[in-house]
Amino acid sequence: MSLSENQQLWQFSPIPNIEESNFNKYLERFYNMGTSGLTRENAQNSLDGRLLENNDPVILTIKTGTISKDDIPGIEEVKNRISCFHGRNSYTKETIDHMRNKMNQEEVAYISFEDSNTRGLKGAKNGQSESKEDTWAIYAYNKGVHSEEENKAFENSRGGSHGVGKIASNAASDLHIMYFANCDEDGNQHLGGTAQLLEHKYNDQCYRSTGYFADLQTIEGNKTKFYPFENKFHEVFQKNNRGLKIIIPFLREQYNDEKEIIKSICDSFFISILEKKLEVIVNDKKIDSKTIKDFVSNKDYYIQDIAEMKNEFTPLYINTYLNEEPVPLKISDGINDYNFSLYFRYDSAIPKGRVAIVRTIGMKIEDKKIKNNVNKPFNAVLVAGSYEDGYLKSLENESHTELAFEHIKDQRLQKNAKKFINNLSKEISKIIEESIKKNNPTDGLMNTKDILYVVENQFKKDLTEAMGTVKISKDKSIVKVTTDAPKKKKKNKKKSSDNPVKPRNPVKRVKPKVDIGETNGTEEKLDKYSAHPDIVERLIVGDNEFVIFDFTGSKEISKEKLCNISFSVIDGMGVEYPDEFKINDNYSSVIDNTTGDQCKIENNLIKDIEIKQGVAQLQLELKNNFNRALKFVYYVEV
Amino acid sequence: MEIKLLKKGYKNNEQFYKDFLEDQVKNKEEYFSDEVAFIDVTPDFPIYIAQGSESTKSELFHQAFDAISDSYLHTNRDIHFDELFWHSLLAVYKRDYLLEQYPQINDGLNHFNNIVLKDFNWENYIYKCVLGAQYINDAISDVSERKRYYSLIIDNLDVFNYIIKYEIFRNDKFLINILDIIDELKLSKVLKSKITGRDDLGKDERVGRRVIFEFNKSYPIIMSPMLEKDDLKELFLQYLVYYYQDTKQLQLIE
Amino acid sequence: MIYKKDANFPYPLLTNTSTSYESSNFILDVNLHENSYNYRFEISYEIDSQFVNKLIENEQAQLVLVIQSKDNKFFYIKPEDKYIEIQKSRISISNRTTIQLHLQSKAEINFKDNDDLSYFYSQFKEDIVVLRNSILGFSNVVIFEGSSTKPLELFEKKVNPDIKSDIKIELGSETIIIHYKNEQLQFNDSPMSNTLNNPYIYMGLQKALYRFIVNNSDDGEQVDLEQIDAPTDNLDLKFYNLMKKKMINELSIDNIDEVIYSISDKILEKYAGAVRGLSLNGN
């Protein structure tokens, strides 16, 4: 079939009059889904078209670029049709204005989705065909119908079940047009296309809104049939190896976003990619099982701080899927049980808990929120088996973005679907609760993910450093503590000024004992302090004992003129005996070495010792029965 | 045999006491931890030696020393020096013997606490005997010599109590040296005597206790537990003079 | 017997805490091993004073290893001795075992050649004579605490619907136990649960430190951490170690909050941050 000069390339079916004055309602829905809707639909279709006989990954090549308007086949026909539209409401008018505004560009932006390792469409040569096997005819000329695979398992895992996916491509074009280039098993190359316009009057004839890029041939009298054109068009429209290529000219500006395209591939198909069922090349960037992590862990594409992952969860999903062991999960719809694998991760840093519902084919249907658990610290991936895929598919809404039951017409099936969706939430929330409990045990000792873990861990670190444990045998652990050994190590060798230890107070106030009945008020109450052994020097030489007190470090005592001193004996276990040692029984004389005067002893107390420049000195003469092995701590009264 | 060990909470527990009297303790799982101690034999011996004449008490002490030496001392200290082991053994496995020997246990929880569940420290008779038997057995191999030392402990129980009361003197060499010094110098009576003329020390202060206390105060300047007997004797006499000035007696010693 | 208490002795002693020697280090380290029959204590020590080291070399002084558990064992240590072994039937380490090295004079020792003394004692060194069988110095103490079953845990929590308050803080034998009347009080459904529990931690620390003061002070108001022995109560011992590690010298009713701030890691600041975060997120 060859193209003649004035051949009509776009076919619109004549209708008696205009009934519908609006655009196809799916256009707006897909338009609202933006880049991700477009990418998902096309990638899903490519996966559906995968070769059944081998396991090579489907390769989807996405290109964006510009093309001269002259290279877009039949574009003038489309423009002519648009020129004669009449908007009958403000929304339609606005859209028409937009189309007319954009249709006269010379350089036109486009996007193309080309797959390989796929089957492509079959039976293009047969044109519009009644045969179920002629997938070209179904794809090219029947909107809202998709061909059912003869292989049931395969059918179940197919993505698009509503047959409206193609419109996603129309929605991405300012002029609502899209082309598809097919190369079949035998190397036959054809180009088709659709335009989703308005019902319109053209040359005094009313036409349907849908236009087909096809040749109209008359067969058997007045019966006509669409046939595709052999593909001899511009290279952007060429498809040279087996598979299908979608070309969308007049790509809307907001769709022309490479980063968004890459992200929506990662978001929806991470499992297909990780499982090596799909590779996607976006212009010069390749996303496969090896490189996907590079994109997902790149802060230009995704937020990397777990605590901030509140809208996009792909980095978490991938982590969960790769690192967690799946647990089987059985969910009933009241009649049948469906088996899933759940990859579940608990991490207290996760701010929003979501479950990715993913079908075997690998497209994520939904970031499912589980009732009452949307803010729980977990992340999960629920993967369906082949049998479950079919069921999940029936629950998907038309834009594959949610599991729902409202769209199901059959009352009984709708009830089951509702039950299934509820049970799904229930089963997953059980797992969430269990894991939160497990990770936050409400009883017992702290473990690593405990609610007290952070605090406890710090104490543990300090305790380990301070004590150190010795594992002596299997069940015996001994704590080792070394007291005050290293403290002095550097003290004298290096006078360090950075030593944070505050100088200790050399004396310490002793709380007076309340003597009941004994105080007669005549004697002045004195303050009593214990003198730290560091400020006391004591030495026995011959029959004399010298004791020197250095109070210069004490602001309480150094400024005093006189003090009283008492003794406490310390026994071999460090116990102090305040009344054990009797001064009069042990010393024959006590001399204040500052003045040379004999000191008075009263109530086992050496009285009125002079403090000179903060220092007090005593010389005591030992009696015969003095136990020279004794040690003391001293008390000072001022 | 296997001794099931009690779980914390049995002390000062009315119900436990009741169950002991009614022979129910062994049937109640809730009293036991999962832990057990192993010991070959557990012969009966006097565990409470507070009553009777001096000769009766002496006889009971000898029985206790012998039983402990023969059957208990060879176990690890984690067993024979463990309060929980002894309380478990007594309350669970020795009920009949104890009620027969010490019928006053029936009279009230305080008797039960004081006899059966007595804290395992220097005031506990088992503790005294375990420590005494261990020190004597480790230092003395001759059986009749051991008996002689047991007798010395029994005859000088007041000093012995003070020695084991202070942790620093819980040492075999020190105990045996002190017992030898007392024996050689025939000081048993002197050490038991009350101190006179020192009202500041309290009414019932004994010479022996003060001598031991003087050693305590002198530690560690004087490392008495490590001293040879003669060095220790010199100090012993020095300290004795602080509290006992009966020159006639002391001349006898010198 | 172990001796630790700082006091004024009748002549200069070499210890880690006294000021009698110019540079007084007497450091002991012990490692514990066991086989079926014995415990083996591997020892190493370091003495700073040349004078003292020479006394050991000349056998005028003798090192004595003191091992105290239920009772005392003394071992004369020669400089070349690396370890001592004790039969398991004669020592129990299931409770506390304390180990110290003492130095005992074997003869009368004149200090006239002792150039290591501090200024005060140097003036008298010609006259200082230490009698035979007297102590010349003692080392730090190494403690093996065997009764601890949870040596590194400080907190436990329990849900106990029977308590008569929402939260009850119990000071257990080794840990602080926070009893919650119900699980909700643990905030276990919140991603910030670990920080939201910090006020309970604070309460627990306060209570435990208060009891530490009661247990370890004479007057019930303040504890001089340099003066007291390592507490025998296992929970107190943990706090003792934590405070020593943070170089806290004194614990008193007045400085409990400062001590908590030092030994813990900004627990209230983190709590405040978490609450602020939650209220901003409208969670």
Side-chain angles (χ1 to χ4, degrees), chain A residues 364-375:
Chain A
K364 182 186 69 180
I365 301 165
E366 184 179 5
D367 295 319
K368 188 150 185 64
K369 297 177 179 177
I370 304 296
K371 206 178 160 198
N372 295 332
N373 289 292
V374 294
N375 292 322

Side-chain angles (χ1 to χ4, degrees), chain C residues 2 15 25 40 77 89 95 102 104 131 142 166 202 274 280:
Chain C
I2 305 300
T15 75
N25 274 339
R40 173 185 287 193
I77 300 289
S89 61
N95 285 306
H102 288 193
Q104 185 188 19
L131 299 175
V142 177
D166 291 331
Y202 199 95
L280 287 180

Side-chain angles (χ1 to χ4, degrees), chain C residues 62-83:
Chain C
Q62 167 80 57
L63 284 166
V64 184
L65 187 74
V66 186
I67 299 179
Q68 179 183 337
S69 57
K70 304 261 177 172
D71 59 0
N72 292 281
K73 303 202 181 309
F74 301 91
F75 300 88
Y76 290 112
I77 300 289
K78 295 196 188 81
E80 65 270 20
D81 290 342
K82 295 288 175 273
Y83 63 87

Side-chain angles (χ1 to χ4, degrees), chain A residues 332-359:
Chain A
S332 164
D333 69 351
I335 292 164
N336 297 312
D337 286 345
Y338 299 92
N339 294 301
F340 296 87
S341 295
L342 185 73
Y343 297 77
F344 187 92
R345 167 188 175 199
Y346 176 92
D347 183 340
S348 60
I350 295 173
K352 305 271 178 194
R354 294 291 184 273
V355 185
I357 311 277
V358 185
R359 294 193 324 217

Side-chain angles (χ1 to χ4, degrees), chain C residues 39-144:
Chain C
Y39 290 112
R40 173 185 287 193
F41 297 88
E42 285 183 0
I43 49 171
S44 59
Y45 67 90
E46 181 192 328
I47 292 174
D48 262 11
S49 162
Q50 274 195 4
F51 174 77
V52 171
N53 279 322
K54 197 158 257 167
L55 293 178
I56 298 171
E57 246 171 67
N58 301 339
E59 298 187 358
Q60 291 172 279
Q62 167 80 57
L63 284 166
V64 184
L65 187 74
V66 186
I67 299 179
Q68 179 183 337
S69 57
K70 304 261 177 172
D71 59 0
N72 292 281
K73 303 202 181 309
F74 301 91
F75 300 88
Y76 290 112
I77 300 289
K78 295 196 188 81
E80 65 270 20
D81 290 342
K82 295 288 175 273
Y83 63 87
I84 60 108
E85 280 187 352
I86 306 176
Q87 284 176 37
K88 285 185 174 176
S89 61
R90 288 301 171 261
I91 188 165
S92 160
I93 56 157
S94 60
N95 285 306
R96 176 173 294 193
T97 306
T98 0
I99 303 174
Q100 193 177 35
L101 206 49
H102 288 193
L103 185 64
Q104 185 188 19
S105 61
K106 290 175 84 178
E108 200 170 274
I109 292 169
N110 193 307
F111 271 33
K112 67 177 192 300
D113 296 327
N114 190 342
D115 297 326
D116 304 325
L117 294 172
S118 65
Y119 173 74
F120 170 81
Y121 292 105
S122 295
Q123 301 170 82
F124 298 92
K125 66 180 187 178
E126 307 284 332
D127 300 319
I128 300 175
V129 175
V130 175
L131 299 175
R132 193 166 70 93
N133 289 329
S134 301
I135 197 158
L136 292 165
F138 51 84
S139 75
N140 59 289
V141 172
V142 177
I143 299 172
F144 291 100

